[in-house]
Amino acid sequence: PLAGRWDGRLSQKGLQLAFDADDAPIARWYRVIAPSLPELKQARIGGTLGMHAELGLPEGAVALRPRIAAFTVEGLGSEALLGARSSCGPSARLTADSWLARAVISAEDQRFFQHPGYDLEELGAALAANQKSGGVERGGSTLTQQLAKLAITGSERSGERKLREMLYAVEMEQTLGKARILQLYLDNAPWGGTLCGAEAAARRYFGRSARTLEPAQAAWMAAMLHKPSAELSQWQATGSIDAARFKRVAEGIRGISRAQRETLLRGVAAARFAAPS
């Protein structure tokens, strides 16, 4: 049901394979790759997908260059999240210009306001980084995909879960919009141990509302999100989290003035936050 061409070149150094898949309906790709997904019974999936892929042996290096056009999803019911309440506690009611929202976007999804729920550029960078390190060093999931995992699909490590996550992420971009997606993510994100939600985390860690966090406090919380429980344990054991990541998050915050950035970076350099008990 899917068409394409492949060729290979064998040399003394190894085997190089290349594959070009023709553009085909995304719904067809899903039916071929994961026909048992329950969402396929109700989802109306639009758009096309094609791909160029390369594989080098024996090192096992993989390069993927997908082509996606007009990807749409309807029928999964994600609009119900418009009025959803978080089980993590009261909503922080943060807007995109708050310090914590800006810091979280810097930490987790720099192109949040440009992508349609998935980020092919980030996925490619994550694949390259993980192959280089030999492990999972970089995720590649957008905030929208992370919200789909938190609210719907769960965190099971499987290819099928990632495919389900993609469907919900694309639909949520169309039914919820960026502002609500960002708010829902902040209100449900894990922040170490059993703690979740920006408001609960801000009050626990800094004794104040998420809306009134100092810039360096916001960057600190955002830097915890990639491994919240591990960062919390390190904070409690050593009095600090990953210092390099904390600095990168602060430096990556966008949409602020020069004076605000200078104040933020001074705060980062001087940051010494008491560890929660």
Side-chain angles (χ1 to χ4, degrees):
L2 298 173
R5 294 154 301 285
W6 70 273
D7 59 43
R9 179 174 297 176
L10 182 64
S11 68
Q12 291 182 340
K13 294 182 179 181
L15 176 64
Q16 298 294 319
L17 296 173
F19 176 70
D20 284 287
D22 295 340
D23 292 348
I26 295 173
R28 185 184 302 168
W29 281 89
Y30 266 89
R31 289 196 298 270
V32 170
I33 296 171
S36 62
L37 287 190
E39 285 77 10
L40 297 186
K41 296 178 181 179
Q42 61 194 91
R44 299 185 295 279
I45 304 170
T48 61
L49 168 65
M51 186 180 302
H52 175 79
E54 296 177 1
L55 171 64
L57 297 173
E59 68 274 15
V62 177
L64 298 176
R65 291 196 292 274
R67 303 180 301 275
I68 296 179
F71 190 5
T72 60
V73 179
E74 297 178 283
L76 295 180
S78 62
E79 62 274 10
L81 292 173
L82 280 168
R85 293 187 177 183
S86 172
S87 62
C88 299
S91 172
R93 300 187 181 279
L94 295 176
T95 56
D97 60 355
S98 67
W99 278 108
L100 185 57
R102 290 183 190 277
V104 166
I105 289 170
S106 171
E108 297 293 304
D109 190 353
Q110 281 279 13
R111 284 181 290 277
F112 175 68
F113 288 106
Q114 285 76 50
H115 64 64
Y118 56 90
D119 187 341
L120 295 182
E121 183 177 338
E122 178 60 24
L123 286 170
L127 178 62
N130 293 338
Q131 288 185 83
K132 184 176 181 180
S133 68
V136 180
E137 294 292 327
R138 190 165 172 174
S141 292
T142 65
L143 285 181
T144 317
Q145 289 173 284
Q146 292 183 51
L147 175 60
K149 179 173 69 174
L150 290 169
I152 301 169
T153 67
S155 57
E156 175 191 358
R157 288 185 175 272
S158 71
E160 288 196 349
R161 192 265 295 171
K162 296 295 288 186
L163 290 171
R164 295 178 64 220
E165 186 181 283
M166 180 76 82
L167 291 177
Y168 284 105
V170 170
E171 187 184 63
M172 286 193 294
E173 290 277 338
Q174 298 157 13
T175 59
L176 303 180
K178 294 290 187 181
R180 183 58 174 154
I181 288 169
L182 180 58
Q183 189 178 72
L184 282 167
Y185 175 80
L186 290 168
D187 286 345
N188 290 277
W191 250 293
T194 60
L195 189 66
C196 62
E199 187 65 17
R203 291 190 180 279
R204 165 82 188 283
Y205 296 147
F206 299 110
R208 57 172 64 195
S209 168
R211 286 176 290 176
T212 63
L213 287 171
E214 295 292 333
Q217 293 172 334
W220 184 281
M221 277 184 53
M224 295 178 67
L225 283 170
H226 74 132
K227 295 178 180 178
S229 291
E231 292 289 4
L232 176 58
S233 296
Q234 180 177 331
W235 187 6
Q236 291 171 325
T238 68
S240 181
I241 60 171
D242 184 330
R245 181 172 175 81
F246 175 38
K247 184 180 178 182
R248 283 198 305 272
V249 169
E251 291 174 340
I253 293 177
R254 299 176 178 176
I256 58 176
S257 68
R258 180 176 178 178
Q260 287 175 313
R261 187 171 302 283
E262 290 174 351
T263 300
L264 166 62
L265 295 181
R266 283 197 299 270
V268 168
R272 297 292 186 274
F273 300 128
S277 57

